[in-house]
C-alpha cells in the first residue's frame, strides 16, 4: 500500500515500511526503511561543518548529510552519486527538486528490459524531479510487492535541456541508512566455483562489487545483503538487494562521516555511457530490495517468493522434466546412433528428457570451430534434425538442444562472411576466449541473422527445451554500427539485443523451456530468470563444492532456478554409494543427470530410477516450498536446511557433511512444525511429534567424507 500525507510518502508491504518526505517543498529526504514503525520517524538535520547549505534554509538542510532518495552530482552531496549527467555546457553538475507525483495500480513496462511482473496487489509510486538549471528531469519509480515484502526501484532520465546530454553514471536504487553497524554479504567466485558466500563488517569508505565483463558473471553476483553483526539464519535484521539485469553492474556501499550507509545498485560508470539527445529518455534497469527482521533465511524466502511470483516465466510443462544431459558423458562426440542410445536409457530410467549438448551443428567437433553456424552437422544427423528428433521422441522422451547464440568461432562460415558483426575496437586485436569472439548483439543485422537461421534450422523440429549457453566475457567492446560518440553504449546495447533474442525465442517456441547457462552459473541473475525456468548452477558437479555453491545461490535465488545434475567422476557409473551422495546434494534443487546412462550397469540404472521416483515424492517442496537454512557450510562442517509447505505438514530436511569428523553434534530445529501433530519419516522409519521437531533432532557428524542424511516428515 502506498500513502501520501502531509508531503510524506509511506510505502507498506506485509511486514515492512519505507518512508520519505518532501522537505521545504523541494528536497526528497529519506526517513526510514525497516519493520513497521507506526510512522513515528521524523526528519532532523544532521548538519556537519564543511557541508554545503543553501542561503534560504541554512544548516537545517545539506545535500551532503541528509538521507536522500536520489543523489545529484557536484551539488554538495559528496557521497557516491546516482547520476552523472554531462550537460550541453560541458559540466556534469546536476541537482533535482520535487515537482509532482502519482500513484497507480500495477506498474509500467521497462522498454527492452526484463522487469518484475505486477499482480493484483502491485502498486507504483512515480515521483517526478527536475533540475531547474539544466531542464533535465528524473522520474523515480517505486513498485511495491506487498506479499513478498519487496520494493523495486528504477529511474527514467529525461533530457529537456535543449541540447545533447551524456549519462556518465547511472544507478537504479539508492538507499541511505542512518547507521553503519552492518556486515555486508556478497557472492564471489570464478568459473567452476561461482557464488561463494562472503561476509565482512562495513568500513568507512566506499566498498563495492560489480562486473565489467559484459555478463553479471561468475566472479561477483549482483545480489548483496547488509545484516546486523549478530544476524544468523533465523534472527537479526537483514536488508537484501538485487538487480534485474544480466550485464555490467555496480553495487556500491559507502559509509560516510556520520556513520550513515549509502547503498546503490545500477549500471555504474565504467563500460557505460549514453548519449541522450534533447527530448529523449533513458530507463535504468530495475533493482529490488527487501527487509527481514527474522534473519537471513527470511530475507532469502522473501526473494524466493518474489522471484517465483514475479520474475520466472510460467512452467511450460505440468511437471518439471528431470533431464539427462549429454555434456559430461559425451562432450563433442555425439551423433544420431549415440543419441538414440541415450533416449532408450533415459526412458528406461525415468529421466523425462535428453538434452543434446554442444557438438550437433556446423563443423563443431571441438571448441575451436562452428559457433555461429546454426545448421545441423549432416555427417552426424544424415536425415536432418527433424527426422532425428522424431526418432528420439518415439522412444518416449522429451528433447532439448544446446545453443550459444551470442558467440562465433573465427573458424566458422558466419565469421568468414561477417567479421564486422563481432564486437571490436578499430586497430586493436580482439582477444579470444575459448577460441571464440562475441557477436555484437546491439547490431540489428546480427539479431536478424540469428532469428532467421534458428527459424530455418528448427523448422518442423519438435523441440521442448533449449539450453542457452554463453562461454566468454566481453573484451574490446565496440561496435562497427555505432558512431564514436556512442561507443560507450555498446555493452548495454549488446545486452538489450540479447534480451530481444530471448523474447523472440519465448514467443516463437512458447512450449519450450529455456535452461540458462554461462559456462555454468556465470549469468545467474534475475534478468536471465525472466526468460529461463532454471539455470545451470555450475560446471562444477562435484558434490562437495556444490554444497557451498548451492547454499550461497539459495541466499538470493529459489531452488526452482537451480539446475543440479548427478554426475559421475569419470562417467563410469560404477558406484551406487557415490551416486547416493551426489543425488542427496542434487535434490537441493531441480534434479537432472549428467551420466553415460547407456553404458551404465543395470544396478546403476535401477538406482537412478529409484532416485527419480523418490524425488517425485517431495519435488513440489523443493521447487515451490519454503526454504529454511539451518547451518551455514562456511561456518560449520555441515550444510543443513529444510523445505516445507505452507502449514509445515510436510518437511524435507537435509544435512550434508563436507568434512570427515565424527562426534560433532548439531541440533536441527524445525520451528514451524505443528506442535501437536505427529509426523512420520519414511526414509528413517521415525515417528516424532511436532514439539520434538521444534526442539530439534540431533545430527552427529560421522567419520566419512563426504556424506549426507535426509528426513522426510509427513504429518499423520
Ligand atoms: C559450458 C557449459 O556449462 C557446459 O555444461 C556445456 O554445455 C559446455 N559449455 C558446452 O560447450
Amino acid at each position: 500500500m502506498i500513502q501520501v500525507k502531509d508531503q510524506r510518502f509511506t510505502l507498506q508491504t506485509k511486514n515492512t515500511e519505507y518512508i520519505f518526505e518532501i522537505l521545504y517543498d523541494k528536497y526528497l529526504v529519506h526517513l526510514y526503511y525497516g519493520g513497521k514503525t507506526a510512522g513515528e520517524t521524523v526528519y532532523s538535520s544532521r548538519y556537519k561543518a564543511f557541508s554545503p547549505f543553501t542561503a534560504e534554509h541554512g544548516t537545517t538542510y545539506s545535500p551532503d548529510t541528509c538521507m536522500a532518495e536520489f543523489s545529484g552530482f557536484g551539488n554538495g552531496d559528496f557521497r557516491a552519486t546516482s547520476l552523472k549527467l554531462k550537460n550541453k555546457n560541458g559540466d556534469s553538475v546536476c541537482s533535482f527538486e520535487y515537482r509532482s507525483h502519482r500513484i497507480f495500480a500495477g506498474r509500467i513496462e521497462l522498454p527492452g528490459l526484463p522487469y518484475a511482473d505486477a499482480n493484483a496487489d502491485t502498486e507504483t509510486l512515480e515521483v517526478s524531479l527536475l533540475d531547474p538549471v539544466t531542464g533535465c528531469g528524473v522520474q523515480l519509480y517505486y513498485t511495491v510487492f506487498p506479499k513478498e515484502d519487496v520494493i523495486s526501484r528504477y529511474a527514467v532520465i529525461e533530457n529537456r535541456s535543449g541540447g545533447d546530454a551524456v549519462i556518465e553514471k547511472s544507478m537504479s536504487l539508492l538507499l541511505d541508512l542512518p547507521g553503519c553497524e552492518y556486515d555486508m554479504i556478497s557472492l564471489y567466485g570464478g568459473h567452476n566455483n561461482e557464488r561463494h558466500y562472503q561476509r565482512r563488517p562495513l568500513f568507512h569508505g566506499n566498498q563495492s562489487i560489480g562486473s565489467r565483463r559484459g555478463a553479471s558473471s561468475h566472479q561477483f553476483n549482483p545480489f548483496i545483503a547488509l545484516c546486523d553483526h549478530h544476524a544468523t539464519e533465523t534472527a537479526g535484521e537483514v536488508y537484501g538487494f538485487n538487480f534485474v539485469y544480466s550485464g555490467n553492474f555496480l553495487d556500491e556501499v559507502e559509509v560516510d562521516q556520520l556513520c550513515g550507509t549509502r547503498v546503490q545498485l545500477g549500471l555504474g560508470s565504467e563500460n557505460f555511457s549514453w548519449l541522450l539527445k534533447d527530448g529523449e529518455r533513458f530507463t535504468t534497469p530495475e533493482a529490488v530490495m527487501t527487509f527481514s527482521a527474522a534473519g537471513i533465511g527470511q530475507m532469502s524466502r522473501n526473494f524466493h517468493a518474489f522471484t517465483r511470483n514475479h520474475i520466472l516465466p510460467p512452467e511450460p510443462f505440468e511437471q518439471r522434466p528431470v533431464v539427462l544431459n549429454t555434456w559430461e558423458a559425451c562432450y563433442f562426440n555425439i551423433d544420431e546412433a549415440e543419441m538414440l542410445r541415450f533416449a532408450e536409457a533415459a526412458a528406461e530410467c525415468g529421466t523425462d528428457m535428453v538434452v543434446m549438448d554442444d557438438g550437433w551443428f556446423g563443423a563443431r567437433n571441438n571448441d575451436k570451430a562452428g559457433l555461429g553456424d546454426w545448421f545441423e552437422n549432416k555427417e552426424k544427423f544424415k536425415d536432418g534434425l527433424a527426422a532425428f528428433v522424431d526418432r528420439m521422441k518415439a522412444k518416449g522422451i522429451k528433447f532439448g538442444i544446446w545453443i550459444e547464440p551470442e558467440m562465433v568461432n573465427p573458424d566458422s562460415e558466419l565469421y568468414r562472411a561477417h567479421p564486422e558483426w563481432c564486437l571490436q575496437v578499430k586497430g586493436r586485436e580482439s582477444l579470444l576466449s575459448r577460441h571464440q569472439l562475441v557477436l555484437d548483439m546491439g547490431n540489428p543485422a546480427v539479431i536478424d541473422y540469428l532469428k532467421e537461421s534458428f527459424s530455418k534450422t528448427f523448422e518442423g523440429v519438435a523441440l521442448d527445451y533449449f539450453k542457452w549457453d554463453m562461454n566468454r566475457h566481453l573484451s574490446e567492446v565496440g561496435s562497427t554500427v555505432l558512431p564514436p560518440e556512442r561507443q560507450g553504449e555498446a555493452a548495454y546495447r549488446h545486452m538489450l539485443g540479447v534480451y530481444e533474442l530471448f523474447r523472440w525465442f519465448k514467443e516463437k517456441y512458447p512450449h519450450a523451456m529455456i535452461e540458462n547457462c554461462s559456462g555454468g552459473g556465470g549469468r545467474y541473475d534475475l534478468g536471465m530468470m525472466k526468460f529461463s525456468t532454471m539455470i545451470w548452477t555450475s560446471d562444477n558437479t562435484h558434490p562437495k563444492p556444490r554444497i557451498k555453491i548451492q547454499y550461497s545461490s539459495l541466499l538470493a535465488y529459489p531452488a526452482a532456478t537451480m539446475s543440479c545434475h548427478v554426475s559421475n567422476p569419470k562417467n563410469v557409473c560404477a558406484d551406487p554409494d557415490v551416486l547416493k551422495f551426489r543425488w542427496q546434494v542434487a535434490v537441493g534443487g531441480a534434479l537432472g543427470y549428467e551420466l553415460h546412462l547407456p553404458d551404465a550397469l543395470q544396478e546403476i540404472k535401477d538406482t537412478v530410477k529409484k532416485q527419480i521416483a523418490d524425488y517425485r515424492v517431495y519435488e513440489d517442496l523443493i521447487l515451490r516450498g519454503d526454504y529454511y537454512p539451518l547451518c551455514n557450510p562456511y561456518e560449520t562442517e555441515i550444510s543443513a536446511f529444510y523445505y516445507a509447505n505452507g502449514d509445515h505438514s510436510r518437511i524435507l530436511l537435509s544435512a550434508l557433511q563436507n568434512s570427515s569428523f565424527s562426534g560433532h553434534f548439531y541440533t536441527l530445529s524445525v520451528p514451524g512444525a505443528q506442535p501437536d501433530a505427529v509426523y512420520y519419516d519414511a526414509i528413517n522409519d521415525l515417528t516424532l511429534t511436532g514439539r520434538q521437531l521444534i526442539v530439534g533432532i540431533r545430527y552427529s557428524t560421522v567419520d566419512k567424507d563426504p556424506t549426507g542424511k535426509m528426513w522426510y516428515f509427513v504429518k499423520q
Side-chain angles (χ1 to χ4, degrees), residues 591-650:
L591 176 67
Y593 286 84
E594 199 96 14
L595 299 175
H596 202 299
L597 275 187
D599 288 350
L601 300 172
Q602 193 56 45
E603 189 192 356
I604 299 294
K605 287 185 181 168
D606 293 343
T607 304
V608 169
K609 201 169 176 173
K610 167 86 172 52
Q611 287 183 343
I612 294 172
D614 287 347
Y615 171 70
R616 289 295 188 210
V617 173
Y618 26 75
E619 176 192 16
D620 62 314
L621 295 184
I622 300 162
L623 300 184
R624 291 182 293 282
D626 295 322
Y627 163 76
Y628 292 81
L630 301 175
C631 297
N632 174 340
Y634 293 83
E635 289 165 0
T636 67
E637 66 228 310
I638 66 166
S639 173
F641 55 90
Y642 70 89
Y643 292 103
N645 60 349
D647 67 359
H648 275 66
S649 55
R650 292 163 63 226

Side-chain angles (χ1 to χ4, degrees), residues 191 325 327-328 331-332 357-359 364 367 402 404 434 467 469-471 517-521 536 538-539 594:
H191 173 239
N325 188 290
W327 179 245
E328 286 194 28
Y331 295 108
F332 296 97
D357 211 286
D358 203 348
R364 187 75 169 168
D367 62 8
W402 181 94
E404 191 177 0
R434 208 196 187 202
K467 178 178 173 187
D469 210 341
M470 189 266 190
N471 281 302
C517 176
S518 173
W536 181 223
S538 176
D539 272 349
E594 199 96 14

Side-chain angles (χ1 to χ4, degrees), residues 199-214:
R199 179 169 172 169
R200 293 283 179 281
L202 292 185
F203 57 82
H204 279 260
N206 193 301
Q207 43 240 277
S208 68
I209 57 147
S211 167
R212 305 174 188 91
R213 295 169 175 271

